[in-house]
Amino acid sequence: MILKYAVTKEDYIEYYTYVSWDAPDQKKKKINYYLRQLLINGGLIAIIFYTGVFSFHSWYMYLYLGILVLTIIFQILSARNSVSKQAEKVTLDENNASIFSEKIMEIDDSGISIKDALTESRFRWEAFIKKQDNKDYYFLFTS
């Protein structure tokens, strides 16, 4: 089977976001991120309460705590978007243009060959150590 394709910038952003954030094996990374945000900001809240920094004007404390809680919520809700923004930076760098060049992929019993204007790669089936998929993509990973 021979396929002719080009990875779009949107495809790359989806791939990067999936592999770096959405994939099932990233669950531990996400939990660690969320816990770190809660612990750091929770520590700040505890320091505020126990040091009495705002004891003269308690409404300052509640204002600051409200802002801190909103910050925590924003950090947690925007984490995936931050990963997508990192991927977008890669797509905008002119030095990465070859990622988006047209390629020809040949799939046969011995493996996969990929050719473009500058490179040619051959992967035997044994080279693939992991596969993952989602509703739109199928990913093969090499070591």
Side-chain angles (χ1 to χ4, degrees):
M1 176 187 324
I2 297 176
L3 304 170
K4 190 175 189 178
Y5 71 96
V7 174
T8 65
K9 292 182 178 188
E10 293 77 19
D11 287 334
Y12 181 81
I13 292 169
E14 284 292 321
Y15 159 77
Y16 186 95
T17 304
Y18 180 80
V19 170
S20 299
W21 191 256
D22 294 334
D25 62 349
Q26 295 298 322
K27 184 177 182 178
K28 185 177 178 181
K29 175 184 175 180
K30 289 192 283 193
I31 290 171
N32 285 337
Y33 172 80
Y34 295 141
L35 286 175
R36 189 171 53 248
Q37 298 308 315
L38 290 173
L39 289 174
I40 291 169
N41 293 303
L44 289 172
I45 291 171
I47 289 169
I48 289 168
F49 272 119
Y50 291 111
T51 60
V53 172
F54 296 110
S55 61
F56 294 111
H57 299 288
S58 62
W59 68 275
Y60 282 132
M61 179 182 68
Y62 293 116
L63 177 66
Y64 183 75
L65 290 176
I67 291 169
L68 200 53
V69 167
L70 288 174
T71 300
I72 293 169
I73 293 168
F74 178 74
Q75 288 170 334
I76 289 172
L77 295 177
S78 68
R80 185 181 188 279
N81 190 44
S82 295
V83 172
S84 294
K85 294 271 186 214
Q86 291 171 354
E88 190 174 349
K89 286 180 185 176
V90 172
T91 67
L92 297 174
D93 185 344
E94 292 178 11
N95 293 323
N96 296 324
S98 65
I99 295 172
F100 311 108
S101 66
E102 189 172 90
K103 295 172 180 42
I104 297 175
M105 177 187 293
E106 185 175 341
I107 303 170
D108 60 29
D109 291 340
S110 62
I112 298 175
S113 296
I114 302 171
K115 300 176 189 177
D116 64 22
L118 302 174
T119 63
E120 184 173 335
S121 301
R122 176 95 181 126
F123 299 94
R124 294 177 40 161
W125 289 115
E126 295 82 21
F128 298 105
I129 58 169
K130 181 172 76 169
K131 68 175 179 67
Q132 289 184 333
D133 59 66
N134 65 18
K135 65 181 180 68
D136 296 318
Y137 301 97
Y138 190 79
F139 305 106
L140 294 174
F141 297 88
T142 60
S143 62

